[in-house]
Amino acid sequence: MSYTGIVEVGGAPDVRELPGLTITKVAVGPYDNNAYLLRCTTTGDQLLIDAANEAPRLLELIGDGPLSRVVTTHRHQDHWMGLSDIVRATGAPVVAHPFDAEALPEPVAHPVDNGDTVSVGRVTLEVVHLRGHTPGSIALLYEAEDRAHLFTGDSLFPGGVGNTWGDPTRFKQLLADVEERVFDRLADNTWFYPGHGKDSTLGRERPSLPEWRERGW
């Protein structure tokens, strides 16, 4: 069955096989968070994006394979409720932006900023800093041969950018970063994976950018 990106809390994960990389998406916890387990198909090395909740379930997905690091996309608690249990069980170091690091329950071993890279086996992911939802929100970009894949945390969803709680300054900053660092750079077939809910593509969302700007959220 082909990948859809549609998952439900308590339901089965969805798995996408890419050249060199396997993506497993699972929904966890009371806030319907997405967690993503990335596995290098050459080395078996793994990376977890957002240990949001239900640590036993995430550990079951991780299995006996090595977990090289856990990336936390931003400081909000619903994205790291399972982090301490995952770190204790696997010894994996935590990766996050320094602006959000102090809010996390585990020390950040590898602070990252815009343009830095994070590896999982032989696969390289680029860090994209998207300011606004939180000061240190990050996305992770994997540029495969046929299309790019972007893990956006809570900075970009189908239908709009992340919540900025009615703050016009934060909204303008987030929309500017999303436009300049994502839409202006990446092709329409770029597939993005948000922190909650369904996936989308940049091409599907691009026509709505003027509407988002006009409505202010």
Side-chain angles (χ1 to χ4, degrees), residues 18 40 43 46 60 68 80 134 156 188:
L18 303 175
C40 172
T43 66
Q46 299 179 108
E60 183 179 356
S68 61
W80 52 254
T134 68
L156 177 63
D188 280 351

Side-chain angles (χ1 to χ4, degrees), residues 3-7 13-16 21-28 32-39 46-53 58 61-62 67 69-73 79 86 120 125 140 149-154 156-158 191-200:
Y3 176 85
T4 66
I6 300 173
V7 292
D14 202 1
V15 179
R16 186 170 205 167
L21 186 70
T22 298
I23 300 168
T24 301
K25 176 181 181 178
V26 63
V28 294
D32 196 9
N33 287 77
N34 295 327
Y36 299 93
L37 183 67
L38 278 53
R39 181 176 62 85
Q46 299 179 108
L47 177 150
L48 181 64
I49 300 175
D50 284 344
N53 213 312
L58 296 179
L61 290 178
I62 294 165
L67 186 70
R69 51 190 53 85
V70 183
V71 177
T72 302
T73 58
H79 289 262
I86 297 295
V120 50
L125 308 167
L140 290 179
H149 300 262
L150 185 68
F151 302 88
T152 58
D154 281 2
L156 177 63
F157 295 95
W191 191 284
F192 70 87
Y193 309 77
H196 306 263
K198 298 178 181 179
D199 306 347
S200 188

Side-chain angles (χ1 to χ4, degrees), residues 163-196:
N163 196 348
T164 51
W165 293 274
D167 185 323
T169 300
R170 289 172 63 179
F171 170 75
K172 289 177 182 177
Q173 178 67 80
L174 179 54
L175 185 63
D177 278 0
V178 166
E179 287 188 294
E180 294 167 11
R181 299 179 178 185
V182 176
F183 283 94
D184 289 353
R185 173 184 173 188
L186 300 172
D188 280 351
N189 71 343
T190 299
W191 191 284
F192 70 87
Y193 309 77
H196 306 263

Side-chain angles (χ1 to χ4, degrees), residues 73-130:
T73 58
H74 63 288
R75 66 171 67 177
H76 289 157
Q77 188 175 17
D78 60 312
H79 289 262
W80 52 254
M81 288 294 290
L83 182 60
S84 292
D85 287 344
I86 297 295
V87 168
R88 281 195 292 267
T90 66
V94 177
V95 179
H97 193 283
F99 288 172
D100 280 11
E102 290 187 3
L104 304 185
E106 298 294 327
V108 173
H110 300 298
V112 292
D113 203 348
N114 191 58
D116 290 344
T117 59
V118 178
S119 62
V120 50
R122 297 184 182 177
V123 173
T124 299
L125 308 167
E126 180 183 339
V127 176
V128 183
H129 186 198
L130 301 171

